[in-house]
Amino acid sequence: MFRFYYVCLLIPLLMSCHPMGTPCHIGAPRWVIPTKAERQYHNVPEKDRARFQLVATHSKYSKDSNYLLDIIKEGDVFAFRMTRREKKDTLLKGSIRSLGYFMMKYAHLAIAVRDENNPDQLRLYTSEAFRGPNLIDELGVITNYSFDVYRLDKSDRLNMHRLREFAFISANKTNKWFGYNFLGMLGIWSNMLEPVSISDIGDDYICSTSVAAALHYAGLDLANVRCCEVFNLISPWLIISSQGRLYKPE
């Protein structure tokens, strides 16, 4: 009987996988069994290895934030956190949305992408509940929050054109009410994380998987992230701390 229910659970998950040609990895979560990419990372040539490096940090209570906007580059990743003062304030206000900041080092992730209509302007690409994947916010809004900025040590190897393409396509595909992957938020199921073609780009992500998928489309294969892993929460810290393999997307 248990086997029957297990099969019934897997059928809809399998049906939601990528089109043929893009691998899915049904199996134990990475915290039980390391991904193949993690196990074989030592075989990646040094020139193709990549890691995130901390390049800046900001508090919402900081008085000087103009310098920060001047050093941001396309492809920089923003990991949002809360200071002790912010956590105390949210407790007093009874804000439920801030609970993630008490449980994790970072509770939200976004990436800087150039505006398609105004190349001199950077926007934030991310995914949010009831917004889905989006490019709604201009870069300047980040000064209202506390966050750390991470940059890939070989960011010049990323295909920025494909990064923009992924962001704009997923933002246009999404339905803001259903574009947020609530199953992924609970760590139950994450899909469309390794896109290589336009048809692989999904319309529902959480903040961290939207960034991971965008980076993969632009040429960064993160060792910690694999599509279709059941019961595996892909958190912002998992993305930032992951080793990466740079490849040239077709």
Side-chain angles (χ1 to χ4, degrees):
M1 182 64 70
F2 175 78
R3 185 176 299 176
F4 171 78
Y5 287 118
Y6 184 73
V7 171
C8 289
L9 173 65
L10 282 181
I11 288 175
L13 297 182
L14 287 168
M15 290 177 65
S16 68
C17 274
H18 291 294
M20 291 182 65
T22 305
C24 284
H25 305 273
I26 305 295
R30 62 169 299 281
W31 44 268
V32 176
I33 300 176
T35 66
K36 182 179 179 181
E38 287 176 310
R39 296 195 302 270
Q40 297 184 354
Y41 186 76
H42 64 279
N43 294 325
V44 177
E46 184 62 38
K47 65 181 181 65
D48 294 329
R49 297 183 185 184
R51 291 177 178 273
F52 287 104
Q53 296 178 331
L54 180 66
V55 295
T57 186
H58 175 75
S59 166
K60 70 174 292 184
Y61 302 111
S62 175
K63 295 180 180 179
D64 182 16
S65 58
N66 292 330
Y67 82 95
L68 184 65
L69 299 179
D70 291 336
I71 68 172
I72 300 300
K73 296 181 179 180
E74 186 173 29
D76 284 354
V77 175
F78 305 92
F80 292 85
R81 54 180 171 75
M82 276 190 179
T83 63
R84 288 184 178 179
R85 178 178 171 184
E86 287 176 88
K87 291 178 181 178
K88 181 179 179 180
D89 290 344
T90 58
L91 279 177
L92 293 175
K93 294 177 181 177
S95 174
I96 298 177
R97 296 183 64 180
S98 62
L99 289 178
Y101 291 93
F102 289 86
M103 298 183 288
M104 298 183 288
K105 180 175 182 178
Y106 301 119
H108 188 60
L109 209 65
I111 188 168
V113 177
R114 291 203 178 279
D115 191 321
E116 188 177 41
N117 301 314
N118 186 1
D120 293 330
Q121 185 180 78
L122 290 173
R123 305 192 74 85
L124 292 179
Y125 171 70
T126 187
S127 183
E128 302 162 277
F130 307 116
R131 273 183 162 188
N134 69 83
L135 284 157
I136 296 173
D137 294 322
E138 297 179 0
L139 185 63
V141 304
I142 62 174
T143 58
N144 298 321
Y145 304 93
S146 297
F147 58 87
D148 295 329
V149 184
Y150 288 88
R151 182 176 297 159
L152 207 63
D153 59 356
K154 297 183 178 73
S155 59
D156 58 315
R157 295 271 305 275
L158 287 176
N159 187 324
M160 295 302 179
H161 170 73
R162 283 177 63 89
L163 180 69
R164 291 171 221 140
E165 182 178 65
F166 178 94
F168 292 123
I169 289 176
S170 67
N172 288 328
K173 274 186 174 184
T174 190
N175 178 314
K176 67 177 181 179
W177 295 105
F178 304 105
Y180 193 75
N181 183 4
F182 289 97
L183 290 178
M185 180 186 71
L186 299 173
I188 297 175
W189 182 252
S190 294
N191 197 2
M192 301 167 292
L193 304 185
E194 300 169 81
V196 293
S197 65
I198 289 177
S199 61
D200 296 331
I201 297 176
D203 59 358
D204 66 329
Y205 292 100
I206 60 174
C207 63
S208 50
T209 58
S210 68
V211 172
L215 288 169
H216 190 279
Y217 194 78
L220 176 66
D221 182 31
L222 292 171
N224 290 357
V225 179
R226 282 298 174 268
C227 132
C228 310
E229 289 185 330
V230 184
F231 306 119
N232 185 27
L233 176 61
I234 300 177
S235 67
W237 177 247
L238 184 70
I239 304 298
I240 293 303
S241 61
S242 177
Q243 303 172 93
R245 175 185 67 88
L246 290 160
Y247 75 98
K248 188 174 181 179
E250 297 295 334

